[in-house]
Amino acid sequence: MSATETFKDYLARRAAEVNQWLDRLVPSETTPPEQLHRAMRYSLLAGGKRLRPSLTLAAGEAVGADTDDLMPAACAIEMIHTYSLIHDDLPAMDNDDLRRGRPTCHKAFGEAVAILAGDALLTQAFRVLSADAPHRDAERQVQVIREIATAAGTVDALIGGQIADIESEGKNVDASTLEYIHRSKTGAMITAPVVVGGIIAGASEEQIDKLRGYGQRIGLAFQIADDILDVTSTSEQLGKTPGKDQAANKATYPAIHGIATSQARARQLVEEAVEIVSGLHLKTHMLEEIARFIIARSS
Ligand code: GRG
């Protein structure tokens, strides 16, 4: 980040770089089957903050990796994130009409195509992660694949958190179950990008542990902030439908703890995260900046 660039500008610049790579890493709209590729690209290239790839770039660069070595994994993570959004929006799950400021994938292409577009993005992610990279360390590549597959999986991870969330709808959920859902559904796919950046950069075990601790804290803070935004924002600000949690009788941080306590908890998690990475004496301060952005954002 240059002296005159604001952090928002910095994130927008990183997002533009990620978008160029994503564009190249997914088949074009004219490649058969055209409709499927159109649907994949419609959701993937529809905007989005690109927070997860930015975390991989920030963590990896802070430890000393080259951007080009980080981009394939950063983009694969964004593909998996987008698949989870497409499937989450389906009528069988959250039944949402709006995502990233435009009609959801199934609204634009129909349910069957949306399901397949999500499946295809997940599959393409692992194709990208396992692509030939002769100059890269094969052991690290396998470690990266394992880290991402674990975060997208069932145990304390994305799919496990999603099913726990669905099963808890309409029930009285206690604070520890809510925390489990948040850490799994959201936290795992925010922690993994940070750890993956470290692995690609050749970080030591101790550095990886600290990066993981940072990721876990900002992951939970991100979901608490998301719960708060769901009750305090408009659909124009969010690019998705607000108030859905309350309508579905979902347990959220503000519902259980109130808004002020939730805000205080998110702030505390971010402070802890910043302290952890400050102790690493990294090459940049981007991880600290991103941690602060996570609770200051408005969408
Ligand atoms: C379908 C396996 C499966 C999982 C779905 C991602 C998800 C799990 C559900 C989406 C609903 C939700 C509230 C998820 C929590 C994570 C979250 C806030 C996702 C949105 O991430 P942002 O804000 O979105 O980074 P953009 O569009 O900016 O990428």
Side-chain angles (χ1 to χ4, degrees):
M1 196 164 86
S2 71
T4 52
E5 195 178 41
T6 67
F7 182 65
K8 244 181 141 184
D9 295 340
Y10 166 81
L11 266 191
R13 179 164 59 79
R14 293 326 299 257
E17 282 174 60
V18 168
N19 291 344
Q20 277 180 5
W21 274 76
L22 284 171
D23 183 34
R24 289 202 299 269
L25 290 171
V26 172
S28 72
E29 295 195 352
T30 53
T31 306
E34 291 90 341
Q35 194 188 189
L36 182 64
H37 291 141
R38 267 206 306 278
M40 289 163 74
R41 297 176 70 87
Y42 172 86
S43 291
L44 185 66
L45 302 172
K49 294 179 287 298
R50 307 307 192 209
L51 170 70
R52 293 153 192 83
S54 297
L55 282 167
T56 301
L57 301 179
E61 288 166 357
V63 181
D66 285 343
T67 307
D68 283 5
D69 287 337
L70 296 162
M71 273 295 185
C75 290
I77 289 167
E78 185 65 24
M79 288 177 206
I80 296 174
H81 169 58
T82 304
Y83 121 74
S84 78
L85 298 178
I86 295 174
H87 282 194
D88 183 66
D89 290 334
L90 288 167
M93 297 214 201
D94 251 13
N95 194 18
D96 240 308
D97 295 350
L98 194 64
R99 171 68 68 182
R100 292 180 163 170
R102 52 160 88 175
T104 45
C105 195
H106 67 273
K107 282 279 160 195
F109 293 90
E111 267 183 66
V113 175
I115 291 169
L116 291 171
D119 293 341
L121 284 169
L122 175 61
T123 309
Q124 181 66 3
F126 285 97
R127 186 166 187 272
V128 167
L129 287 169
S130 57
D132 274 351
H135 65 291
R136 278 187 221 134
D137 184 313
E139 204 177 308
R140 278 185 210 165
Q141 199 170 358
V142 172
Q143 240 182 305
V144 164
I145 292 171
R146 191 185 311 128
E147 186 71 34
I148 296 174
T150 303
T154 56
V155 181
D156 298 333
L158 175 69
I159 299 173
Q162 176 75 350
I163 187 86
D165 192 21
I166 290 171
E167 285 172 351
S168 74
E169 263 175 47
K171 292 192 187 140
N172 267 335
V173 170
D174 60 25
S176 76
T177 307
L178 177 69
E179 196 134 326
Y180 163 78
I181 293 172
H182 281 7
R183 284 187 193 284
S184 308
K185 188 180 81 169
T186 310
M189 281 297 292
I190 288 187
T191 305
V194 181
V195 172
V196 160
I199 296 170
I200 295 170
S204 67
E205 294 265 323
E206 195 199 332
Q207 284 176 314
I208 298 273
D209 280 353
K210 294 212 162 130
L211 289 173
R212 195 181 295 286
Y214 162 90
Q216 287 165 342
R217 283 166 180 80
I218 63 159
L220 183 54
F222 179 89
Q223 185 57 60
I224 296 174
D226 207 71
D227 284 358
I228 297 170
L229 286 171
D230 190 66
V231 283
T232 58
S233 303
T234 63
S235 60
E236 288 73 32
Q237 285 168 314
L238 287 183
K240 61 181 180 182
T241 321
K244 291 277 298 185
D245 295 339
Q246 223 172 351
N249 199 9
K250 269 195 184 171
T252 64
Y253 239 81
I256 291 189
H257 302 283
I259 289 194
T261 305
S262 303
Q263 283 168 332
R265 173 91 170 113
R267 270 199 305 273
Q268 181 205 356
L269 286 161
V270 165
E271 272 164 34
E272 286 173 16
V274 167
E275 201 176 312
I276 292 174
V277 282
S278 303
L280 278 173
H281 307 295
L282 298 170
K283 291 182 198 297
T284 76
H285 293 294
M286 281 308 146
L287 289 174
E288 286 94 319
E289 297 275 357
I290 294 179
R292 295 195 182 98
F293 162 79
I294 270 173
I295 52 168
R297 72 203 162 96
S298 59
S299 69

